[in-house]
Amino acid sequence: SIVSPLLRTGYHFQPPRNWINGTAAPMYYKGWYHLFYQYNPKGAVWGNIVWAHSVSHDLINWFALEPAIYPSIPSDKYGCWSGSATLLADGTPAITYTGISRPDINYQEQNIAFPKNKSDPLLREWVKPAELNPIASPEPGINATQFRDPTTAWLADGHWRMLVGGVRDTRGLAFVYRSKDFKKWTRAKHPLHSALTGMWECPDFFPVAGSGEENGLDTSEHGEKYVLKASLDLTRYDYYTVGRYHKEKDRYVPDNPAGDYHRLRYDYGNFYASKTFYDPAKRRRVLTGWANESDSVPDDKAKGWAGIHAIPRKIWLDPSGKQLLQWPVEEVEKLRGKSVSVSGKVVKPGQHFEVTGLATSYQADVEVSFEMSSLDKAEPFDPAYDNDAQKLCGVKGADVKGGVGPFGLWVLASGDLREKTAVFFRVFKDGYGKPKVLMCTDPTKSSLSPDLYKPTFAGFVDTDISSGKISLRSLIDRSVVESFGAGGKTCILSRVYPSIAIGKGAHLYVFNNGEADVKVSRLTAWEMKKPLMNGA
Ligand code: DQQ
């Protein structure tokens, strides 16, 4: 399918051209937010990977600098893969990252780099001390092609610790490396944690403040609870658990013993290789993530670009202490322009209505609260789908009539509804009569173009809906829809490539394909302006 240039995003981070993948070493330094990211300067497919570099004052308006880290020493000669930044005690930022040191196989070693001039707030140049690199190499017994992505280090009892992702057979694991001086690193005998989930890419490990406290903690601060996250190569989702860290043994134990296998995801859609960082300016932990394209490789080559980043999200521990909440950083609201509102509008079974008045329904921010007077008509929940929301939503998509729901939004929808992406909820009743809420993004009707990957994405929403109320926010941006259910309990990013619902041809609707009435208590939709610079 020929992807229209109008599908380049308006306010999501993406460079003017070429391939991007995961974010790396996000950090705040001397008044600037720094975003490094995997980048192919030579084309729109993965390869020739260097660390491109952009800076901003607000995580939304980005200014491109020269690539910061690129192959230049024997232990990164064939690629500079992902890694992280750590602010040392004297405020110096150190980057640790994976280098590829052999051309025949992706032989992975860990390296360290320091700013050439730490008084330069833009951190434009980095040096790699030859006497230190590589700081960690795959000893015998370690699979050298699955040994990468060092995390931000944390300091405890006078020792720095840092994780490196790996796998033994099918056991994904987080190797622990320790150092007194941040120069010489030695591997601990035991991993911090492991599970039979396949390779752990881009691990992340950080303390979280008490349940419901929205502020973040710096990586070396002590937290009641910790979050351990891994990107699973097997399924291409980012998973996490909440648990306790025993620093004397450098071991982590998830609170939920089944958590390693019944894992929570940051995002139930297209969101991978994410990294967090602590932002001291606003005392928050910020999550940055990558979404690849779901059109074809020939499309990517034809359009000359591939990959975007999600809007950075603040993350904190839910009052229940059982999961994280995520919400777009408040700075994105500066892009809001003209808005339209709807209040107290009932949508009868099988009905829908258009939200009119927005000049840019293709580039919008929509917040809506729904209310149902009764959940009696909720369908029975089949426990066979207990661990598989995506499968359930694949069977019961947006156009399959239900009891309470499916109800929600049709975004990037054409006026004749031949193209529409549905973001919706569906409420079931489990065997005890307890409501179970499913949230889905259904792109099966998103485009008339062929050769597109249009997966339905879904997650259960652990929210008390007994009051009949639930909220949804969707950031709509031409070929991406990022949705946040129940205040950020369940998040789904989806990529879509409409062929007629683009530009002025894009419309926004509310729909109800359930048997129960649904009321839109309040809906506000804002036009979203383009940032001044956008990942250029
Ligand atoms: N992408 C990087 C690796 C990481 C993977 C290479 C995650 O460092 O494991 O570009 O998608």
Side-chain angles (χ1 to χ4, degrees), residues 19 21-22 38-39 46 49 80-83 98 148-149 199-202 231 233 236 272-273 290:
W19 164 279
N21 53 296
Q38 300 279 272
Y39 178 66
W46 186 87
I49 292 297
C80 296
W81 287 14
S82 193
T98 300
R148 57 178 175 267
D149 307 339
M199 172 66 184
W200 284 7
E201 293 188 322
C202 301
S231 297
D233 200 15
R236 307 299 290 178
Y272 197 70
W290 155 60

Side-chain angles (χ1 to χ4, degrees), residues 146-385:
Q146 300 280 40
F147 175 61
R148 57 178 175 267
D149 307 339
T151 63
T152 293
W154 68 96
L155 188 60
D157 300 338
H159 266 84
W160 286 102
R161 289 97 195 240
M162 173 175 77
L163 303 181
V164 174
V167 68
R168 273 206 188 100
D169 302 326
T170 59
R171 179 171 285 280
L173 42 77
F175 293 115
V176 178
Y177 279 81
R178 275 200 278 256
S179 173
K180 287 248 341 137
D181 60 4
F182 218 88
K183 293 178 179 174
K184 180 151 180 31
W185 293 86
T186 52
R187 185 163 65 83
K189 192 167 177 324
H190 297 287
L192 180 83
H193 191 56
S194 70
L196 296 170
T197 56
M199 172 66 184
W200 284 7
E201 293 188 322
C202 301
D204 202 350
F205 182 61
F206 52 88
V208 283
S211 308
E213 286 174 42
E214 291 197 24
N215 59 296
L217 297 180
D218 202 338
T219 316
S220 296
E221 284 186 70
H222 174 74
E224 268 307 295
K225 292 292 177 70
Y226 284 75
V227 168
L228 177 62
K229 168 261 170 179
S231 297
L232 294 195
D233 200 15
L234 275 186
T235 61
R236 307 299 290 178
Y237 291 108
D238 280 11
Y239 297 80
Y240 73 92
T241 54
V242 180
R244 293 184 186 283
Y245 166 52
H246 303 281
K247 67 173 192 277
E248 61 292 342
K249 296 179 289 183
D250 270 333
R251 302 306 290 260
Y252 167 82
V253 180
D255 287 345
N256 174 355
D260 283 328
Y261 303 100
H262 193 93
R263 279 180 159 217
L264 296 167
R265 298 179 200 174
Y266 280 154
D267 192 295
Y268 291 83
N270 183 339
F271 184 93
Y272 197 70
S274 61
K275 308 285 291 185
T276 66
F277 74 98
Y278 176 67
D279 169 12
K282 295 197 169 180
R283 292 187 63 229
R284 60 186 170 179
R285 183 148 294 260
V286 176
L287 170 67
T288 64
W290 155 60
N292 67 359
E293 301 302 305
S294 49
D295 57 11
S296 67
V297 170
D299 282 340
D300 292 347
K301 290 180 177 168
K303 70 197 191 201
W305 58 271
I308 64 167
H309 288 161
I311 296 296
R313 300 171 183 178
K314 183 170 98 167
I315 62 172
W316 68 100
L317 193 60
D318 176 72
S320 71
K322 291 190 300 182
Q323 69 161 90
L324 292 170
L325 294 175
Q326 302 167 60
W327 201 245
V329 291
E330 61 191 1
E331 289 88 339
V332 77
E333 294 164 26
K334 282 190 313 192
L335 297 178
R336 286 173 169 174
K338 182 181 160 229
S339 70
V340 292
S341 293
V342 173
S343 329
K345 195 174 176 78
V346 174
V347 192
K348 292 276 183 201
Q351 299 297 307
H352 62 267
F353 70 86
E354 181 175 357
V355 178
T356 54
L358 281 196
T360 65
S361 294
Y362 56 87
Q363 198 168 292
D365 180 355
V366 187
E367 291 196 29
V368 52
S369 358
F370 297 102
E371 192 169 345
M372 282 121 333
S373 51
S374 153
L375 301 177
D376 293 351
K377 293 191 164 76
E379 303 159 84
F381 178 72
D382 176 350
Y385 290 110

